[in-house]
Amino acid sequence: MFSFSPCTPWHRYCAAGGIAPHRVLPVVLDVGTDNEELLNDPFYIGMPKKRLHGKEYYHLVDEFMQAVRHRWPNVLVQFEDFSSDKAQNLLDKYRDTHLCFNDDIQGTGATTLSGVLGALRAKGADVNSLGEQRIVVAGGGRAGVWGAP
């Protein structure tokens, strides 16, 4: 499993999900920064160049995705903390050719569904009865469900 963020909850996948720690490798693709203060900071540890955009940005991600899949054909790649203007594009591009998911887009839904299915089992209901359940969404949170009907 590759995760695109050293801050991602990969340790939870190991502790609670049963994924062996030696099978997880956090990866950061440093594409630069547009923050002038950081660009001029001699102690900045990131790439001190202007951030890649457009074709150059997507080419870098594509190069990584092709290389990681070539090396580990069954790898799971987790996209984490990609900006909203790129996250869906990347997921759309790779979802049919690579085993991947975007935690920010799909993680909240998967976690919520897991909890709901667990609750159904706990009350002795068949998980196939999900469509018959009445579910209340309280709060918008990061998932941005304020507009949910």
Side-chain angles (χ1 to χ4, degrees), residues 42-74:
F43 299 107
Y44 176 56
I45 61 172
M47 182 175 295
K49 297 189 185 284
K50 288 284 189 183
R51 179 178 288 272
L52 292 178
H53 294 282
K55 289 181 182 179
E56 294 164 332
Y57 174 87
Y58 288 106
H59 178 75
L60 176 71
V61 174
D62 196 51
E63 190 173 341
F64 173 81
M65 293 296 288
Q66 298 309 318
V68 74
R69 178 118 189 261
H70 177 75
R71 174 61 180 88
W72 294 286
N74 298 316

Side-chain angles (χ1 to χ4, degrees), residues 12 15 41 47 49 63 66 74-75 81 83 93 96 104 106 122 129 136 145 147:
R12 282 185 251 161
D41 184 344
M47 182 175 295
K49 297 189 185 284
E63 190 173 341
Q66 298 309 318
N74 298 316
V75 68
D81 295 334
S83 61
K93 179 173 183 172
D96 294 327
D104 298 317
Q106 299 166 300
S129 70
V136 176
V145 295

Side-chain angles (χ1 to χ4, degrees), residues 24-100:
V24 178
L25 179 63
V27 174
V28 175
L29 296 180
D30 189 345
V31 296
T33 180
D34 288 332
N35 183 316
E36 288 297 326
E37 189 175 325
L38 292 176
L39 287 170
N40 296 316
D41 184 344
F43 299 107
Y44 176 56
I45 61 172
M47 182 175 295
K49 297 189 185 284
K50 288 284 189 183
R51 179 178 288 272
L52 292 178
H53 294 282
K55 289 181 182 179
E56 294 164 332
Y57 174 87
Y58 288 106
H59 178 75
L60 176 71
V61 174
D62 196 51
E63 190 173 341
F64 173 81
M65 293 296 288
Q66 298 309 318
V68 74
R69 178 118 189 261
H70 177 75
R71 174 61 180 88
W72 294 286
N74 298 316
V75 68
L76 167 61
V77 177
Q78 174 193 341
F79 297 112
E80 176 79 25
D81 295 334
F82 277 73
S83 61
S84 59
D85 63 320
K86 295 179 179 65
Q88 189 66 56
N89 293 339
L90 291 170
L91 186 59
D92 290 345
K93 179 173 183 172
Y94 297 111
R95 71 179 350 147
D96 294 327
T97 59
H98 292 70
L99 180 58
C100 64

